Amino acid sequence: MQAKNIFNQMSPYTPGKQIEDVKKEYNLTRIVKLASNENPFGFSDNVKQAIVDLTKNLEIYPDGYATELRQLLSDRLEVDPDQLVFGCGSDEIVDIICRTYLESGTNTIIAKPTFPQYKHNALIQGAEVKEVPLINGYHDLQGMLDQVDEQTKIIWLCTPNNPTGCMINSTSLSTFMQQCPSDILVVVDEAYYEYITADNAPNTIAALKDYTNLIVLRTFSKAYGLAGLRIGYGVANVVVSNALNVARGPFNTTKVAQKSAIIALQDEEFLHYSLEETKKNKADLLSFFDEMELKYYDSETNFVFVTLPVSGDSLFEHLLSKGFIIRSGEALGHPNGVRITIGKKEDMKELQEHIRTFLTVDSKEN
């Protein structure tokens, strides 16, 4: 069987090192995973307590409309319920958007580097992908607008951006939306929305009233700690959301995921705890980088990308041998750096000492 020709130029998504693989490779019993921007504090205890009951009647299809979760979110966000579209993680919505709007002869514009699934799914649909390099970790918004032509269908704005963590501020986004043609869909991916602390963050949900070509993506995988259940959502003008819901599979989110998301949304105490601990532990890590005279990007997320005087792979391999999994910049299209998820306080302290030892020894050898 012959797949599309584009598949000859592509490869499957390569995840970071898995815990069990590292244990076997390095004969370790304890692994600290700081590679995938997961919540190190887990998820709501209320979800844990409910999970057994949630697994009853698995022989019955889930609610394809996600009615209860839809209503809860529409009330919280003050949007029409039909403005919402749910996905198996927000990355499924990325795929749905590409299937809905892209085809051969069209193009889409992304930053470089950014979340790779924008490009991946666009190429599968036969679209041209225009990549605009970041400027000091930030989107070059004017550069992206300069790439717009009659065939442009979608512009992707990952904010805060993965892998740099830099956020597009309110003024910049507003200026961009005013200048962007209204027939081009602008996808603002806010997977790390809950971690933002900046005062000048945009209110993207409110902006939906002004821009019919805007869609906002969010997820329960990060701050809410439900990455293993795979559930996210998009909010858009009803015309856009209706089109996406036509393309969406009828039962793409499970009953367990929907109910868990509802419980997680209502457990504000757990969310607050996670965000505060992350904030403190990130500040401590940044102080360490300052001490070591290492440069890093502004981060409004639960991770930091730090540049290094050595290759990202070398530090990655060293930390792997110590039982810490981080993400090398080599794998993210950004060599000579690493992306580190903010973990628990005691783990971050140990990580810092391993980094200090490695860089000190390396500098002496060179």
Side-chain angles (χ1 to χ4, degrees):
M1 301 295 292
Q2 182 65 46
K4 295 178 181 178
N5 289 332
I6 190 62
F7 282 91
N8 297 324
Q9 307 167 36
M10 302 174 69
S11 57
Y13 172 74
T14 304
K17 284 275 190 176
Q18 300 301 299
I19 291 175
E20 292 306 314
D21 293 337
V22 177
K23 283 183 177 179
K24 291 178 182 178
E25 185 176 350
Y26 292 93
N27 194 28
L28 297 168
T29 56
R30 172 179 172 269
I31 299 295
V32 179
K33 188 183 178 190
L34 303 173
S36 301
N37 307 332
E38 296 146 332
N39 190 335
F41 307 105
F43 55 96
S44 169
D45 283 338
N46 296 341
V47 174
K48 294 178 186 178
Q49 294 166 11
I51 210 77
V52 173
D53 284 338
L54 296 182
T55 58
K56 293 178 180 178
N57 303 120
L58 294 182
E59 74 281 6
I60 298 174
Y61 284 109
D63 175 5
Y65 189 66
T67 305
E68 189 178 357
L69 176 58
R70 183 181 297 273
Q71 191 60 57
L72 177 59
L73 275 173
S74 68
D75 289 344
R76 289 201 173 203
L77 300 175
E78 299 182 348
V79 298
D80 187 298
D82 286 337
Q83 288 183 253
L84 290 156
V85 55
F86 292 94
C88 181
S90 56
D91 52 350
E92 188 197 18
I93 304 176
V94 171
D95 176 44
I96 294 171
I97 291 170
C98 289
R99 287 192 283 112
T100 304
Y101 291 98
L102 297 179
E103 60 188 336
S104 178
T106 65
N107 69 62
T108 185
I109 301 170
I110 66 174
K112 182 179 182 180
T114 193
F115 185 54
Q117 293 305 105
Y118 311 144
K119 180 178 181 178
H120 182 89
N121 287 298
L123 290 174
I124 290 174
Q125 299 307 319
E128 176 191 0
V129 178
K130 297 183 177 183
E131 298 180 90
V132 179
L134 300 172
I135 299 177
N136 297 322
Y138 288 88
H139 285 67
D140 177 3
L141 296 177
Q142 185 58 54
M144 299 179 89
L145 288 172
D146 291 343
Q147 290 295 316
V148 169
D149 60 29
E150 293 182 356
Q151 286 71 49
T152 303
K153 297 296 182 181
I154 306 172
I155 300 177
W156 304 86
L157 304 178
C158 184
T159 177
N161 186 50
N162 182 6
T164 59
C166 299
M167 181 196 75
I168 299 172
N169 66 41
S170 179
T171 300
S172 296
L173 182 61
S174 178
T175 300
F176 176 87
M177 292 303 301
Q178 291 169 20
Q179 295 178 352
C180 182
S182 60
D183 61 345
I184 295 174
L185 183 66
V186 177
V187 183
V188 176
D189 187 347
E190 294 186 325
Y192 300 93
Y193 167 78
E194 291 79 9
Y195 290 105
I196 295 174
T197 60
D199 294 333
N200 60 346
N203 186 338
T204 50
I205 300 300
L208 291 167
K209 297 176 182 178
D210 298 319
Y211 304 104
T212 59
N213 59 325
L214 175 65
I215 178 169
V216 180
L217 306 187
R218 293 182 183 172
T219 184
F220 290 93
S221 295
K222 304 303 181 182
Y224 290 100
L226 300 182
L229 289 179
R230 313 306 303 122
I231 185 161
Y233 61 97
V235 194
N237 175 274
V238 172
V239 173
V240 173
S241 61
N242 281 347
L244 298 180
N245 277 312
V246 170
R248 175 182 61 82
F251 305 110
N252 64 325
T253 61
T254 68
K255 178 186 77 171
V256 176
Q258 292 176 27
K259 295 289 187 179
S260 296
I262 291 168
I263 296 170
L265 273 172
Q266 295 171 332
D267 189 354
E268 296 182 2
E269 183 179 350
F270 171 76
L271 179 64
H272 177 75
Y273 170 76
S274 293
L275 299 181
E276 286 302 306
E277 290 298 304
T278 299
K279 181 180 177 180
K280 289 187 293 186
N281 296 346
K282 181 168 72 172
D284 187 64
L285 180 65
L286 297 184
S287 294
F288 167 72
F289 288 153
D290 290 337
E291 176 193 342
M292 297 294 294
E293 298 183 347
L294 295 173
K295 294 182 179 180
Y296 49 86
Y297 290 115
D298 298 332
S299 174
E300 289 292 333
T301 65
N302 67 331
F303 64 82
V304 176
F305 192 100
V306 58
T307 57
L308 303 167
V310 296
S311 74
D313 280 353
S314 62
L315 179 58
F316 167 79
E317 291 293 341
H318 172 75
L319 292 177
L320 206 57
S321 70
K322 304 299 181 183
F324 285 82
I325 309 176
I326 61 170
R327 196 73 157 145
S328 170
E330 303 279 353
L332 300 170
H334 200 317
N336 291 99
V338 293
R339 191 189 68 192
I340 301 174
T341 304
I342 306 302
K344 297 179 179 178
K345 181 177 181 179
E346 58 272 20
D347 293 332
M348 299 306 291
K349 289 292 187 183
E350 184 180 345
L351 175 78
Q352 290 172 29
E353 291 311 307
H354 288 313
I355 294 176
R356 184 194 305 276
T357 300
F358 175 77
L359 294 179
T360 301
V361 171
D362 183 81
S363 64
K364 289 180 179 178
E365 290 178 349
N366 290 297

